[in-house]
Each structure stands twice: as C-alpha cells, then as structure tokens.
Amino acid sequence: MFARLSELPLLVLLLGATGLLAFLPAAHAAILNDSALARHFFYSGIALLIITGMLGIATAAYTPRDAARSQLAALAAAYLVLPVAMALPLVQALPDTSFLNAWFEMVSAFTTTGATVYAPDRLPPSIHLWRATIGWFGGFLTLVSAYAILAPLNLGGAEVISGRVPGRGTAGAAQITRIAEPAERLTRNALQILPIYAALTFMLWVGLLICGDSGLTALVHAMGTLSTSGISAGLGTAAASSGIAGEILIFLFFIFALTRRAFPVKGLANSDRPLTADPELRMAALILLTVAVVLLLRHWVGDGSRSFDDPFAFLAAVWGAVFTSASFLTTTGYESAYWGSTTDWSGFGTPGLLLLALAIIGGGVATTAGGVKLLRVYALLRQGQRELEKIIHPSSIGGGGTDARRLRREGAYMAWVFFMLFAMSIAVVIGTLSLLGVAFEPALVLSLAALTTTGALADVATLDPIPYGGLSAPVKITLAVAMVVGRLEMLALIALVSPAGWRR
C-alpha cells in the first residue's frame, strides 16, 4: 500500500493528508455538541479526499524527468496551493470572514509562523485546534523535506555541512538515489519521523495536562512547541494554568528545535559525539546566557537604585528572560508569564531589538525552526576566528580535522551567501511594505516576523502590538509570500529556478 502511495505526486499526497486532518477538529466539534461546525470540517475533509482520489487516478502514471527537483517544486507549490484547501472549512465556519483572511491564517499556520488575524475569543475551540493541527502538519513536512528533499540537493543547511554547491546534490546522495528513488526515500523518512514526532507531541501534551492545563490548551501548546508555530488557543503560555511547571516542560522540548541531533533520526552527517558537544546546542546555550545577562544588567545599570534583595523576584526575572529568549531563538514565539518581571524591572520596557536578533539567528539545521540557523552562524564565527588567528600567527595551521576545515572554508562561504540572500529578502519585503503605505518600524518588524516564521514578533517586539487583522489586502499577500520564502529559504528557490538544473 505504501509503495503504491509513494508513486503519487507529493502534492497529491499532501492534499490527501490535509483531508484526513480535517476529521480531527470535526470529531472535536462533535464531542462539544457543535454539530454545525463538525459538519463543516467533515464535509471539507470528504471533499478534499474525493479531489485527492481523482487527482491520484489522473497522475498515477506520471513520471517526472528529474524526481528530486520535481519534489522540490512540489514542496514549493504545496505552500501556495494547500492553504487554499485548508481555508475551506474556516470560511464555512466563519461566514463573516473573507477568504483572504482565511487563506492568510492557513499560510501562517502551515509555514509555522503562527501569526493570526483573528482575536482569540472570536474562534471556537475546534478552529483553534485546526490552526494548531495545520501548524503541526507544517512542522512535520518541514522535518521530512529537510531529510528527504533538501539534504540530497545540498539545501536547507546541508550545504554548510557538505561544503558543496547547493541544488546539485553530492556524490553520496547520487549513489543513494540510484539505490532508492526519491519517492521511496520520502516515504521511508516520513514513516521514520512521524512516530517520533507524534510521540514527542503526546509526551508534552500529557506533561502539560499533569501540570494543570486543560486538554485543548495542552494539546495546542504541545503542537505549537514541537512545530515551533507558537499557536495558542488563548492568550499563550503566559495565561496557561500550568504556570512555571508548564513553561519548564516546554523549555525542555525547545531542544528539538535547537539541534537536529536531539531528534533520534539518522542523517545530515550525524556524528557519534555526545549531545553536549554539539556546536549548535552550545552556541544556543551561550546566546541564551548572554541575552539573560544583558537584559538583567540593562535594568540594573539603568536604575542603580533598584536592588535584587527579593530572591524570588530576581529568579522570576531570570526565568522570564531565559524562557522568552529560547522561545524566540527557536522562532516559536511563546512569551513567559514572568517576561513582565524581566522587562519592567527598571521600567525600560520590551527590548524588541534583542528579540528580533534572536529570531534572525533561528534554531538548528533540519529542525522546524526558521531564521538563518545556528549552524550557519557558527560556521561564520569559526571562519572569523580562524582569520584572526592567521593575522596574529600567519604561519599557523588550523586544526580540528577535515570536517572543521570544510566548515571554516566552503561551509562558511555557503553560510555567507545565504546570509546575504536573507538580508536582500528583508530589504525587498521592507521596500514592498513601504510602497504599500506601512511605516518603516512596523514594516521592519512584520518583514522579520514573516521571513523568520516568528509571527509573535508583531505582538512583542514593538511598544504597541501590530494587529495583523488591520493590515490591507496587499500587505497580507506580501507577508504571506514572505512566510513561504522564509520557510523554504531563498537558496532553495534559487536552486529550483537555476538553469543548471534544466540540463538533464
């Protein structure tokens, strides 16, 4: 059965999976005795499955000339086409909404951005579950595509590890392709990742239930944490009943967005080194420690009359800084209930620039996090360190072995190329939003929120929150496209349209 399904185009399979997922909020609404909402989701799921069956029959004999690049194209198309299907039950359930708002909401959820145009109390619980489910599905697709689609083409951060030209694959990947077709590799990785991804979500859900959250709140926060979508069924983790115990539990699960080695799936040059020796995890720990110290010193130096005589207030301020910083570093966007203790210690308010910088850095390679990624930043730092060593000792020899030398040379070069493309993307989106009438500061925050897939930046990184619902239609469309670009990464899109891939 799985062999026959693997022969279908990726976009058709994803459409069928979307139809199956619609039955979850349908069942939830039926349990809550909301029969009208249950019918909307149930009928939408049936319709999507029928369309999937028809498309599956029509494309059963389709054989692409280049299967690997065809999957990359299907992945890009999925972020543009599937939100239209995902918005169908939302439009039916909310008759007073526009299709553009529903589409924007689904693009935001599917790209794990988590930005919303609706007030929390406007949406029924089953629709909150649908948003969280789509975000969770988007995180799963991100993991599968990282291992099965992007890595064989040296994209998504794999180019930093291999040091090879993005979009062309490696010799080893070519040999694997001859043994296992890209469709088989995609199926194998999906069947390997799904049980682990679902089990981790279930573990966090049960843990949050034990800590005191309600069933829906715990499930939505569990899905939002593992997928780094940051979607919430209410006012976020700050208003959750689980309190600091729930925040500690969520904080522990942030590790899966900081390093791929924490996720028990082989691939992308996994080494036998212990997790504590992972460069991405160590860099994340250093960043979080630095940010926490800077935030506390910022308030202490700014208001010397304020003391830390109250140890509980001091610990609350430290925890608020660490949790919120980790949340935005992983591009999740959950805010600690004690974040106010951190920002209001001396009355300076929210340090939005720090949160923007954390989101730009992002999480680990081959994780659900967005941003530039820790491994690319690490490669640039190691290359800069080596250049300083050569200035002091021109005859010195850089150690660390073959992998370290490749990371400092070709890896750092690829990381710099991506960083420049990311900076150019920011400039293009800010320029477009400015032409559409958005002021510079909101345009900057909205652009970074979309490109780093951290929708919560619009609520936290500015003095006054920026409501997505009040934006004009062209601005919403621009941000939705930016979310897709941030999720896929500009390097992958350039490799997709590169003429070098046309020669087959």
Side-chain angles (χ1 to χ4, degrees), residues 72-130:
L72 181 60
L75 180 65
Y79 286 103
L80 298 175
V81 176
L82 289 185
V84 176
M86 296 169 178
L88 293 179
L90 200 59
V91 173
Q92 297 176 18
L94 300 174
D96 57 340
T97 191
S98 64
F99 185 82
L100 176 63
N101 283 343
W103 174 76
F104 178 88
E105 191 79 11
M106 292 296 98
V107 172
S108 174
F110 194 43
T111 57
T112 71
T113 303
T116 179
V117 297
Y118 303 109
D121 55 356
R122 182 185 176 187
L123 302 179
S126 298
I127 294 184
H128 282 300
L129 179 60
W130 176 240

Side-chain angles (χ1 to χ4, degrees), residues 61 69 99 101 160 162 165 193 196 204 209 243 292 367 385 402 407:
R69 295 182 66 85
F99 185 82
N101 283 343
V160 180
S162 64
V165 178
I193 292 174
I196 301 172
L204 181 55
L209 284 174
T367 66
Q385 178 187 11
T402 305
L407 185 68

